[in-house]
Amino acid sequence: MKRRDLVKAAGAGALLTAAGILAGCEKKDAAPKAIEGAPAISLGKNFEWKMVTAWPKNFPGLGTGANYLAQLIGELSGGRLKVKVYGGGELVPPLEVFDAVSKGTAQMGHAGAYYWKGKAEAAQFFSAVPFGLNAQEMIGWIRHGGGQELWDEVYRPFGLKPFPAGNTGVQMGGWFNKEINKVEDFKGLKMRMPGLGGEVLNKLGATSVSLPGGEIFQSLQSGAIDATEWVGPYNDLAFGFYKVAKYYYWPGWHEPGTVLECFVNQKALDELPKDLQAIVEVSCRAAYDNMLAEYSARNNLALMTLINEHKVQFKRFSDPVLRELGRVSQIVVAETAARDPLSAKVYQSFDQFRKGAISWDKIGEEGYSLARALTFT
Ligand code: CA
């Protein structure tokens, strides 16, 4: 569907919703009644969807982001499309949500695209690429740089339509119980890190694992893994990793602006009238913006709590470590791109966008950050 048509359809939806309100709905989820003397408007059938997620139910930022999306769709549609959210493991295990929506067990899923690298290598480019695009650049590439069309192409064989539906912003480098002073210190380490970042660690002699969030704390506590990354201060404080790990490293070289996704079963989407299809899309946009805003605000507060209350030791990876991680990341990403023609096509688009983004960032965002640091540190 063309964006122009979606906007038109969204306008129609707003009118219909407004008609429902004018008709004097007693409850927002009640079916709108006809207005006396007004032309009859057929609002069609109602829909009830399931949204399966890769997150613990109501988990701050990610789970609540999925809840927000479902709530928005319900409200904007005047209750004509109701979405029930399931936490990871409630209906299907967290890392099986892609298959569940592909098969139609649920109509909608909320997760991160790098979880699906075993199904489609190219999916990883739409969540996080080590030394790739930051949050602002990712959405620029997806919405206005050709990324969305490529993402559609990657998910089409699975009968899924993807939407960006959240972003955590830049993540942290992870929790360790030993210092990482040189790149050799990764050797022999069993670390939770999904996606391309995990493959970089493997090349350095570590063993990466892709555990769902809900299993990380216990694995770190029992010694099943030696180190982990998850998200950033807001989420990592919620999981209490400071209780079982000594050092908290930055920056999150492997996830510079991770996109969270909502994918919809294409057949289910096609069955919706056009205004409800538009409501699904604009709700994902709103959920994306809301999640990024929430992380921006809450990471600051959580950072202070981790420093002042829990006395966490923050450490920055040294320049030589980051340079080596960058060098190996280039190799891993290029190898991924070479595995199939679609990955190559996505990588080419991504890489080209990154070149322009770096040029602008130097004089744009980075230029400003450095200027601000001269006065405020
Ligand atoms: Ca992460």
Side-chain angles (χ1 to χ4, degrees), residues 264-341:
V264 181
N265 180 286
Q266 187 69 55
K267 272 191 203 146
L269 189 63
D270 292 343
E271 282 168 13
L272 296 179
K274 288 208 175 346
D275 67 315
L276 291 186
Q277 290 182 11
I279 283 170
V280 169
E281 182 179 342
V282 296
S283 298
C284 285
R285 284 175 179 247
Y288 184 97
D289 296 341
N290 192 55
M291 189 189 289
L292 184 55
E294 187 182 353
Y295 275 96
S296 299
R298 297 197 199 277
N299 273 333
N300 304 348
L301 294 173
L303 178 68
M304 293 299 118
T305 305
L306 288 169
I307 293 172
N308 299 327
E309 275 182 42
H310 303 302
K311 313 292 180 202
V312 168
Q313 294 189 54
F314 281 76
K315 286 186 176 289
R316 180 182 181 272
F317 292 122
S318 68
D319 283 352
V321 166
L322 288 169
R323 203 169 288 124
E324 186 61 8
L325 287 169
R327 189 186 69 80
V328 177
S329 295
Q330 287 275 71
I331 296 169
V332 164
V333 175
E335 281 176 359
T336 301
R339 281 193 195 121
D340 61 83

Side-chain angles (χ1 to χ4, degrees), residues 150-174:
L150 290 165
W151 198 358
D152 290 349
E153 196 176 336
V154 173
Y155 279 24
R156 197 170 295 129
F158 304 94
L160 296 172
K161 162 71 184 171
F163 298 99
N167 196 308
T168 63
V170 66
Q171 300 202 357
M172 285 288 288

Side-chain angles (χ1 to χ4, degrees), residues 75-86:
E75 286 177 4
L76 288 175
S77 68
R80 290 161 56 219
L81 174 54
K82 284 184 188 165
V83 181
K84 185 170 181 199
V85 181
Y86 293 85

Side-chain angles (χ1 to χ4, degrees), residues 21-339:
I21 293 162
L22 282 172
C25 297
E26 281 155 23
K27 287 191 295 179
K28 66 181 170 201
D29 57 350
K33 296 167 190 164
I35 307 167
E36 211 176 328
I41 300 170
S42 171
L43 294 176
K45 62 185 269 201
N46 290 348
F47 297 84
E48 290 191 5
W49 277 14
K50 297 183 179 86
M51 186 204 288
V52 286
T53 72
W55 328 116
K57 197 169 175 69
N58 302 325
F59 187 76
L62 303 170
T64 55
N67 294 348
Y68 176 78
L69 172 59
Q71 186 194 340
L72 208 54
I73 292 171
E75 286 177 4
L76 288 175
S77 68
R80 290 161 56 219
L81 174 54
K82 284 184 188 165
V83 181
K84 185 170 181 199
V85 181
Y86 293 85
E90 278 195 309
L91 197 62
V92 292
L95 300 186
E96 287 177 25
V97 297
F98 188 92
D99 284 342
V101 179
S102 180
K103 285 181 202 148
T105 308
Q107 291 79 12
M108 191 176 246
H110 197 279
Y114 48 27
Y115 292 140
W116 322 126
K117 70 173 181 181
K119 301 171 196 305
E121 288 278 356
Q124 299 178 94
F125 288 98
F126 304 99
S127 53
V129 174
F131 298 90
L133 304 175
N134 66 25
Q136 193 166 322
E137 294 160 354
M138 275 302 280
I139 201 62
W141 175 57
I142 293 171
R143 284 190 194 154
H144 296 282
Q148 182 68 58
E149 291 74 9
L150 290 165
W151 198 358
D152 290 349
E153 196 176 336
V154 173
Y155 279 24
R156 197 170 295 129
F158 304 94
L160 296 172
K161 162 71 184 171
F163 298 99
N167 196 308
T168 63
V170 66
Q171 300 202 357
M172 285 288 288
W175 296 85
F176 297 82
N177 274 311
K178 69 167 198 175
E179 290 187 46
I180 303 293
N181 295 317
K182 50 191 189 308
V183 86
E184 289 76 20
D185 291 333
F186 282 108
K187 212 169 190 171
L189 210 64
K190 193 168 180 190
M191 181 167 184
R192 186 268 177 194
M193 185 180 280
L196 293 162
E199 288 185 42
V200 172
L201 293 187
N202 294 344
K203 272 233 188 306
L204 293 170
T207 305
S208 69
V209 290
S210 180
L211 292 173
E215 294 174 22
I216 302 174
F217 184 89
Q218 203 182 0
S219 302
L220 198 55
Q221 192 175 36
S222 71
I225 56 172
D226 306 308
T228 189
E229 70 79 58
W230 172 229
V231 183
Y234 174 39
N235 279 168
D236 294 12
L237 173 65
F239 267 152
F241 296 139
Y242 61 88
K243 295 174 194 160
V244 285
K246 201 168 170 188
Y247 305 113
Y248 196 14
Y249 270 86
W250 59 283
W253 55 274
H254 60 301
E255 297 198 49
T258 306
V259 171
L260 287 313
E261 61 178 359
C262 168
F263 43 80
V264 181
N265 180 286
Q266 187 69 55
K267 272 191 203 146
L269 189 63
D270 292 343
E271 282 168 13
L272 296 179
K274 288 208 175 346
D275 67 315
L276 291 186
Q277 290 182 11
I279 283 170
V280 169
E281 182 179 342
V282 296
S283 298
C284 285
R285 284 175 179 247
Y288 184 97
D289 296 341
N290 192 55
M291 189 189 289
L292 184 55
E294 187 182 353
Y295 275 96
S296 299
R298 297 197 199 277
N299 273 333
N300 304 348
L301 294 173
L303 178 68
M304 293 299 118
T305 305
L306 288 169
I307 293 172
N308 299 327
E309 275 182 42
H310 303 302
K311 313 292 180 202
V312 168
Q313 294 189 54
F314 281 76
K315 286 186 176 289
R316 180 182 181 272
F317 292 122
S318 68
D319 283 352
V321 166
L322 288 169
R323 203 169 288 124
E324 186 61 8
L325 287 169
R327 189 186 69 80
V328 177
S329 295
Q330 287 275 71
I331 296 169
V332 164
V333 175
E335 281 176 359
T336 301
R339 281 193 195 121

